[in-house]
Amino acid sequence: MPRSMSQRRPRPFDDLIAEAAAVPVDGWDFSWLAGRATEERPPWGYARAMADRMSLATAALDIQTGGGEILASVPRLPPLTVATESWPPNVVRATALLHPLGAAVVACPDEPPLPFADGAFDLVVSRHPVKAWWEEIARVLRPGGRYFSQEVGPASVFELVEYFLGPMPQEVRGSRDPERARRAATDAGLDVVDLRTASLRTEFSDIGAVVYFLRKVIWMVPGFTVERYRDQLAALHRRIETRGPFVATTTRFLIEAVKPDDPEPAT
């Protein structure tokens, strides 16, 4: 008779990290973590809300699309839909996924300028951009167009980051402040019409999940490799085995901003 989950012997450390170090990390699909890590989802349902806005748009841009998974989930894409991505493996993945749906994928850096004309889009979206370049977003939006994004919030999963890197300075912990995003959007000439935040529980149930996460989300612990952090990984493995899942707090914020219509000409 198979053992119950509570009776099964834990897998060895070397097996777990070898498996997690070998699995591909291209795209933005985290399904490999099923049963190994959990993340509470924000209450606003970004993918569904983004799809609602896509259904009303005629020309849309998805910035930093990753592997294109979220954009591909939209039931009806606008007649003109373009996505940008900088990481070559993700460009390949997004192209294969989005081209059959009628969306173009443009390989470009995650920094200005966006390779599009002024006022090219009536909707710009982005899920978890590395950085929102607000002046560029405002430039490529048509008057009356909107930007809709879910972003990583301040000090997200920093319990894990600081386990490896030690205490982070306050300017780093607060660098993704949603109020700072509001001010930047306003300075770029956009009207922020919605701003919501969420603090969410995240659990890592084995050390393989930690390795996979840090290989995929490369900015959390820059330069992470199993070899470089092997001793700390081994200690964390023992901690998870004896105390249960490693718990961290994920932060997210939703921001929506509208570009004002051109003023009526004077009569």
Side-chain angles (χ1 to χ4, degrees):
M1 179 181 295
R3 294 186 180 97
S4 69
M5 290 297 292
S6 60
Q7 294 172 318
R8 290 177 183 166
R9 296 178 64 182
R11 292 179 60 191
F13 170 73
D14 287 337
D15 288 357
L16 289 168
I17 63 169
E19 179 188 19
V23 67
V25 291
D26 57 320
W28 209 239
D29 176 9
F30 286 81
S31 59
W32 188 86
L33 291 175
R36 314 180 77 144
T38 60
E39 181 182 278
E40 186 182 1
R41 312 312 297 173
W44 47 73
Y46 171 79
R48 182 184 64 254
M50 185 264 282
D52 290 343
R53 286 155 179 78
M54 284 278 179
S55 69
L56 303 174
T58 59
L61 170 64
D62 182 18
I63 298 175
Q64 299 174 31
T65 194
E69 297 87 354
I70 301 300
L71 187 58
S73 72
V74 175
R76 187 177 72 83
L77 292 174
L80 174 63
T81 303
V82 182
T84 68
E85 176 56 33
S86 64
W87 194 40
N90 276 350
V91 172
V92 173
R93 186 182 182 98
T95 298
L97 187 60
L98 295 174
H99 273 200
L101 303 178
V105 178
V106 176
C108 67
D110 294 332
E111 58 186 32
L114 287 167
F116 308 108
D118 297 358
F121 303 99
D122 54 2
L123 177 65
V124 176
V125 302
S126 189
R127 182 179 182 271
H128 302 174
V130 175
K131 180 175 181 178
W133 298 96
W134 288 102
E135 290 187 359
E136 279 296 283
I137 292 166
R139 181 184 65 79
V140 301
L141 277 173
R142 297 171 184 166
R146 67 184 54 232
Y147 175 70
F148 186 71
S149 177
Q150 177 178 293
E151 299 200 20
V152 175
S156 187
V157 200
F158 262 40
E159 295 89 345
L160 187 64
V161 171
E162 293 184 331
Y163 173 82
F164 289 97
L165 301 182
M168 304 300 288
Q170 186 56 43
E171 59 266 26
V172 174
R173 295 183 63 85
S175 63
R176 302 187 70 91
D177 180 9
E179 288 300 328
R180 184 179 296 181
R182 184 202 297 272
R183 292 193 296 271
T186 301
D187 290 346
L190 302 176
D191 295 331
V192 176
V193 297
D194 195 6
L195 182 61
R196 287 179 261 174
T197 63
S199 295
L200 310 159
R201 183 181 178 91
T202 297
E203 296 185 359
F204 297 91
S205 298
D206 69 48
I207 199 63
V210 173
V211 170
Y212 177 84
F213 177 80
L214 294 179
R215 288 182 61 226
K216 196 175 186 76
V217 191
I218 57 175
W219 53 87
M220 302 303 292
V221 179
F224 172 83
T225 64
V226 168
E227 294 75 18
R228 182 176 181 181
Y229 290 99
R230 188 178 185 87
D231 290 346
Q232 286 168 275
L233 288 167
L236 184 54
H237 169 68
R238 293 190 293 269
R239 171 177 166 174
I240 292 172
E241 282 195 319
T242 57
R243 295 166 53 181
F246 183 91
V247 178
T249 301
T250 296
T251 62
R252 299 284 184 263
F253 66 90
L254 184 81
I255 186 165
E256 185 168 19
V258 175
K259 184 172 183 177
D261 287 317
D262 287 334
E264 292 293 331
T267 59

